[in-house]
Amino acid sequence: MSRRIIGPFNRVEGDLEVTLEIESGVVSAAYVNSPMYRGFEQILTGKYPLDALVYVPRICGICSVAQSAAAAQAIAQSMGIQPPRNGVLTANLTLAAENLADHLSHFYLFFMPDFARDGYRDRTWFAAAQSRFKSVTGSATADVLPVRAKFMNVMGYLAGRWPHTLAVQPGGSSRPLEEAERLRLKILLAEFRVFLERTLFGDRLESVAALNSEASLYAWMESRTDSADFPRFLNIACDLELQNMGRATDRFMSYGAYANGTESLFKSGLWHEGGLQALDVSVIREDVSRSWMAGGVALAPEQGRTEPQLEKEGAYSWCKAPRLAGQVVETGALARQMVDGHPLVRDFVARHGASVMARVVARMLEFALVLPAMESWLHQIQPGAAFCLPATEIEDACGVGLIEAARGSLGHWIDVQNGKIHNYQIIAPTTWNFSPRDGEGEPGALEQALVGLPAEVNSDAAPLAVQHVIRSFDPCMVCTVH
Amino acid sequence: MSELIARNEPLNLLWLQSGGCGGCTLSLLNADCRNLFDTLAGMGINLLWHPSLSEQSADEARNIFEACASGATRLDMLCLEGAVLKGPNGSGGFHRTAQGESMMSLIDRLSRVARHTIAVGSCAAFGGVTAGGMNPADACGLQYDDDTQGGLLGEDYRAQAGLPVVNIAGCPIHPNWVIETLSALAAGEINAGALDGFQRPRLYADHLVHHGCTRNEYYEFKASALKPSDLGCMMEHMGCKGTQVHADCNIRLWNGEGSCTRGGYACIACTEPGFEEPGHAFAVTPKIAGIPIGLPTDMPKAWFVALASLSKSATPKRVKENAVSDHQVIRPVIKRTRLK
């Protein structure tokens, strides 16, 4: 058995290290280390509740609005206030804009460049992939950066700026829209739709959303193999059999996303063994047995503690190990679509289980599902009606904010005593996906997904399969440990 | 440095991240330019490695760092995003590399050979939000600890080309603050006089956030907002520090047509050292006897009080009522005077 430490693991948000144990050229065990600790939960202790809105977005530059939204929801619950309809619609638009921009960055900047690596030079698609997806110099980078920057102009109207806005408030949005601004937002969404339909899909979003099985996906791909970037990925994925790579627990969790009145665009739940269950968040515990954290028994987030302890036998990550009723779960776009029940994703996973390919397909599918929803929310906004209610004073109260960031389920738990934050606990999507082992020795989702992959020992680059699997989760390490 | 450009040798830029959120990189990607990489190339800058954007991972990346440290590769620009984490107990153990070295140590080694060292964002400059509360990770800036010179490198530090650390402060940075600063450094157009008293490039730090604020009419009359989404001035009640904070956020806008004040929330002074611990609730203006403690920059208190009192009594009904509404309830009248 040989042991290999891979780090710094790049093209993810934040810092990541993975230790692989390799036997006969195959990964036999993996240990995922989140190597940086800042201490936001400690920083928040003793602050005014609303001050959390300044600190938490700064946990993460890529999930900044998601952090704001979770805090706003937790504080709103503790204050017993509910935003007016315009506030809800604006919050959905702001979070959706961030989530789609993140999907775009992940696909083009973080994930696809690996197929332009020299290790694939013998593949028929290599020359095309290199010219299109090579990091920094590929033609896709030149196409997508200005499109992304332009799309993020929606944040100029909705949030003042991105990242790190204070527009997302417990009572709604601090940024009322005038009719002219609503129209400019509509134009920005329309321009983004043109890019997605012309360059990413080569088809209408509605046609992509209507794909309902693995067979329909392949039939769709056949007719447009080199016409657009998603079909190009599918072609590569089929050749490399990425549908059989990177399976973790196949236990999928989603908090549900984009509530609008009594409806949500994506419902919450837990999918396991072919069935959907209601999600019971009261059985979440964070285990710190293998984390550089002081503590004994696994605690519910309401009672969670965050006390770093660097010298600790057996510990190998700053990340805690969240478990749902003692079980490892996977979260992210794939989990969100499994729980919501999209037929393409359900069929794909029924045949192969979770995989690199399924995770990317689900992420791409969300462009086709979420952008039309954004168009609809924008249509429903009524300039002139209220956007925000004032916050209320609280002395002693608790609140929970459960939302879906691009990369999965994000939870904030706030406990206010004597008007100040007594305890603030955060469990981020990648805390679930990239957790270390727990007290039972059960590896986290990525640690399971890496086992069995081919891993050549003598190269400077991390093994390519390992890179694909890690990046398929779209990890955000600055959220993971905060 | 400009000699290198004349010889057509690209300048090598290495970007590292430590105790921060990566938000400055994400903000940089919002740059309104052809595309960031072409813009850098056009400035004669070669991106040696960036953690979010480059192909090389693991040992490939490590080899780049070591080539810079040994001098085998010339390091023209070292950009750090995020604070330096000194804890626990000065070990740097809150952020270690795969080889077990602390990031603090790696940053120190590379800054000794860099021709220019650039702190991107308030964390790398001063410690920033990462140094908030009881500063659990013992975070500091490259050459500042809060508003005091020192930090990791010490007040006497000078990069190889002779400048101290260039502090592009902001949480996050505006993309063009970085692009313009790198462009000026590449062309040899920044000297010590181009930096302000906190070593921030004066190209953006010589302005106040107040300059260009769209709430100007409300400010003039001290017609003040009372809750988020109100249209009025946020200085009196909502914690806005725009009249004191150095940055050009309302002159060069963010994400197209945005800024914090245009987004309906206070300027919280994110380009200033120590903004993370203001000593009051961020969204509430601290006052003594009803008068804000943080008066507009260069404004004598007596005049401020006199003018505020006078302008409040002169506030037009339109301005007064719109200030506490989330949309214009009274529109400006049309004057049929040919606007003399």
Side-chain angles (χ1 to χ4, degrees):
Chain A
M1 197 262 297
S2 66
R3 204 174 159 87
R4 178 156 179 200
I5 302 174
I6 299 173
F9 194 91
N10 66 323
R11 272 181 288 115
V12 298
E13 184 62 32
D15 291 274
L16 171 65
E17 243 174 64
V18 178
T19 300
L20 302 176
E21 289 176 2
I22 300 165
E23 283 179 60
S24 314
V26 169
V27 176
S28 56
Y31 298 81
V32 178
N33 175 11
S34 309
M36 187 181 80
Y37 175 81
R38 289 163 295 163
F40 273 83
E41 288 157 347
Q42 293 176 289
I43 291 171
L44 285 163
T45 304
K47 303 293 185 199
Y48 296 101
L50 286 169
D51 283 356
L53 298 172
V54 171
Y55 294 102
V56 302
R58 290 169 169 87
I59 289 170
C60 174
I62 204 165
C63 323
S64 163
V65 162
Q67 295 287 355
S68 297
Q73 200 184 90
I75 297 168
Q77 196 185 80
S78 73
M79 292 179 170
I81 54 176
Q82 281 187 325
R85 187 165 162 73
N86 276 341
V88 171
L89 293 166
T90 314
N92 280 351
L93 279 164
T94 312
L95 181 57
E98 176 175 278
N99 286 351
L100 293 192
D102 283 6
H103 283 356
L104 195 70
S105 305
H106 177 263
F107 182 76
Y108 281 106
L109 301 179
F110 299 164
F111 181 74
M112 290 306 289
D114 284 320
F115 300 108
R117 278 181 169 275
D118 283 344
Y120 287 130
R121 63 187 165 277
D122 298 335
R123 299 286 171 168
T124 54
W125 42 261
F126 177 70
Q130 197 183 36
S131 121
R132 184 75 188 141
F133 298 116
K134 184 88 175 166
S135 78
V136 180
T137 55
S139 63
T141 307
D143 285 348
V144 83
L145 282 176
V147 166
R148 180 189 168 282
K150 187 79 178 166
F151 176 59
M152 290 308 265
N153 284 0
V154 303
M155 293 301 197
Y157 296 114
L158 293 168
R161 69 172 186 184
W162 182 92
H164 304 345
T165 178
L166 280 167
V168 183
Q169 292 282 323
S173 169
S174 72
R175 179 62 164 91
L177 293 171
E178 293 186 15
E179 178 59 10
E181 292 163 336
R182 198 184 67 81
L183 292 171
R184 271 175 272 168
L185 282 166
K186 195 172 161 184
I187 294 163
L188 288 170
L189 295 189
E191 288 176 345
F192 191 52
R193 179 185 265 267
V194 169
F195 169 82
L196 294 177
E197 295 188 340
R198 189 179 290 165
T199 308
L200 182 61
F201 293 120
D203 201 353
R204 297 263 304 149
L205 296 185
E206 285 70 14
S207 308
V208 176
L211 296 170
N212 58 9
S213 65
E214 183 181 17
S216 73
L217 179 70
Y218 292 148
W220 180 83
M221 171 189 86
E222 293 296 330
S223 62
R224 44 181 57 75
T225 297
D226 205 32
S227 63
D229 292 325
F230 181 47
R232 286 185 187 109
F233 161 74
L234 293 174
N235 185 42
I236 293 170
C238 288
D239 181 50
L240 298 176
E241 297 187 28
L242 298 184
Q243 73 275 26
N244 298 319
M245 182 187 285
R247 188 172 191 167
T249 65
D250 282 5
R251 189 185 293 268
F252 301 105
M253 180 180 82
S254 170
Y255 290 155
Y258 309 121
N260 182 7
T262 53
E263 299 280 297
S264 287
L265 182 63
F266 301 135
K267 60 176 171 267
S268 77
L270 175 71
W271 176 273
H272 183 55
E273 290 178 344
L276 185 66
Q277 305 162 23
L279 182 64
D280 176 10
V281 294
S282 73
V283 295
I284 294 175
R285 297 288 180 275
E286 282 200 295
D287 185 297
V288 295
S289 306
R290 308 299 297 275
S291 319
W292 288 309
M293 292 285 161
V297 293
L299 297 172
E302 295 89 331
Q303 280 87 44
R305 291 166 58 200
T306 305
E307 293 167 29
Q309 184 190 345
L310 186 51
E311 305 302 326
K312 180 172 164 180
E313 186 72 22
Y316 61 92
S317 178
W318 291 109
C319 184
K320 298 178 186 174
R323 297 291 185 260
L324 185 72
Q327 303 290 329
V328 174
V329 299
E330 174 175 342
T331 182
L334 177 62
R336 207 151 46 225
Q337 296 312 320
M338 284 301 292
V339 167
D340 194 59
H342 194 280
L344 166 61
V345 169
R346 287 257 181 104
D347 183 56
F348 206 91
V349 170
R351 290 168 196 278
H352 309 286
S355 64
V356 170
M357 187 169 173
R359 292 184 190 108
V360 177
V361 166
R363 210 168 278 126
M364 296 298 102
L365 187 60
E366 288 200 340
F367 282 115
L369 299 173
V370 174
L371 191 70
M374 291 177 76
E375 292 163 350
S376 162
W377 298 328
L378 190 59
H379 184 70
Q380 295 169 49
I381 282 182
Q382 295 182 318
F387 279 78
C388 196
L389 298 178
T392 56
E393 299 273 329
I394 42 171
E395 279 299 308
D396 300 290
C398 295
V400 184
L402 303 173
I403 63 119
E404 285 286 313
R407 42 201 54 77
S409 307
L410 169 66
H412 283 207
W413 287 260
I414 188 172
D415 177 7
V416 179
Q417 295 185 13
N418 302 316
K420 298 280 183 68
I421 295 171
H422 176 70
N423 194 15
Y424 202 111
Q425 290 288 316
I426 297 156
I427 305 180
T430 314
T431 320
W432 290 97
N433 290 335
F434 283 25
S435 82
R437 283 156 173 73
D438 57 30
E440 303 293 313
E442 179 80 357
L446 173 67
E447 292 180 331
Q448 297 186 30
L450 290 171
V451 171
L453 294 177
E456 64 273 33
V457 179
N458 299 312
S459 77
D460 277 352
L464 288 168
V466 168
Q467 302 216 35
H468 298 323
V469 170
I470 292 174
R471 293 200 181 89
S472 74
F473 285 91
D474 187 12
C476 177
M477 307 312 298
V478 283
C479 279
T480 302
V481 176
H482 24 270
Chain B
M1 194 70 96
S2 46
E3 295 155 27
L4 295 173
I5 292 184
R7 294 205 307 271
N8 258 340
E9 275 189 49
L11 304 171
N12 291 326
L13 186 155
L14 174 65
W15 189 293
L16 297 178
Q17 294 175 331
S18 191
C21 71
C24 289
T25 288
L26 271 301
S27 185
L28 183 58
L29 292 177
N30 292 339
D32 181 18
C33 59
R34 190 183 130 78
N35 81 66
L36 181 66
F37 301 113
D38 284 0
T39 302
L40 290 174
M43 286 152 41
I45 292 173
N46 169 47
L47 187 61
L48 270 184
W49 192 76
H50 183 294
S52 309
L53 306 170
S54 296
E55 179 174 293
Q56 302 93 334
S57 66
D59 295 348
E60 299 167 308
R62 188 74 197 169
N63 294 343
I64 296 172
F65 307 161
E66 291 309 326
C68 289
S70 71
T73 299
R74 201 185 59 244
L75 179 55
D76 297 303
M77 297 172 172
L78 172 66
C79 290
L80 175 69
E81 177 181 2
V84 178
L85 303 184
K86 293 183 294 185
N89 305 317
S91 69
F94 282 128
H95 189 190
R96 284 187 301 211
T97 70
Q99 285 65 35
E101 182 184 11
S102 70
M103 269 307 281
M104 175 175 76
S105 159
L106 178 64
I107 293 163
D108 187 77
R109 286 198 290 135
L110 290 168
S111 61
R112 302 295 163 187
V113 297
R115 291 184 54 79
H116 290 296
T117 301
I118 300 135
V120 180
S122 293
C123 292
F126 308 124
V129 157
T130 311
M134 36 81 85
N135 193 358
D138 199 5
C140 68
L142 276 170
Q143 203 172 5
Y144 273 85
D145 196 339
D146 201 314
D147 59 0
T148 308
Q149 276 194 324
L152 173 70
L153 300 173
E155 65 179 306
D156 296 329
Y157 170 82
R158 296 292 178 271
Q160 293 295 320
L163 286 175
V165 174
V166 176
N167 287 329
I168 311 177
C171 189
I173 49 78
H174 187 291
N176 289 351
W177 299 345
V178 174
I179 289 174
E180 286 162 25
T181 302
L182 294 179
S183 152
L185 284 170
E189 292 173 349
I190 284 197
N191 57 27
L195 305 179
D196 79 354
F198 287 123
Q199 295 167 209
R200 298 174 296 197
R202 289 175 50 202
L203 60 89
Y204 77 92
D206 273 359
H207 287 286
L208 297 174
V209 170
H210 184 53
H211 299 164
C213 179
T214 48
R215 293 168 191 249
N216 175 34
E217 192 182 33
Y218 299 103
Y219 172 81
E220 286 171 19
F221 289 105
K222 299 290 163 287
S224 298
L226 294 173
K227 69 167 198 311
S229 82
D230 284 353
L231 300 179
C233 176
M234 296 182 287
M235 179 200 167
E236 187 179 3
H237 303 305
M238 308 277 291
C240 186
K241 299 176 180 176
T243 58
Q244 308 169 71
V245 174
H246 288 246
D248 57 5
C249 299
N250 275 309
I251 298 171
R252 75 169 87 220
L253 299 175
W254 296 67
N255 299 103
E257 299 192 6
S259 74
C260 291
T261 56
R262 285 165 206 231
Y265 50 93
C267 167
I268 58 168
C270 75
T271 57
E272 305 288 343
F275 87 93
E276 68 279 2
E277 284 295 328
H280 61 84
F282 280 98
V284 179
T285 305
K287 298 174 201 172
I288 293 177
I291 299 165
I293 297 170
L295 294 178
T297 297
D298 305 322
M299 182 110 182
K301 184 176 176 186
W303 278 109
F304 178 83
V305 173
L307 283 174
S309 154
L310 188 63
S311 59
K312 274 202 176 192
S313 57
T315 307
K317 183 166 186 280
R318 168 176 62 82
V319 176
K320 197 173 199 165
E321 294 197 11
N322 288 347
V324 290
S325 169
D326 66 3
H327 61 285
Q328 284 203 88
V329 286
I330 304 178
R331 283 173 288 164
V333 295
I334 294 172
K335 296 169 74 177
R336 295 181 181 278
T337 63
R338 293 187 177 273
L339 306 180
K340 301 288 188 301

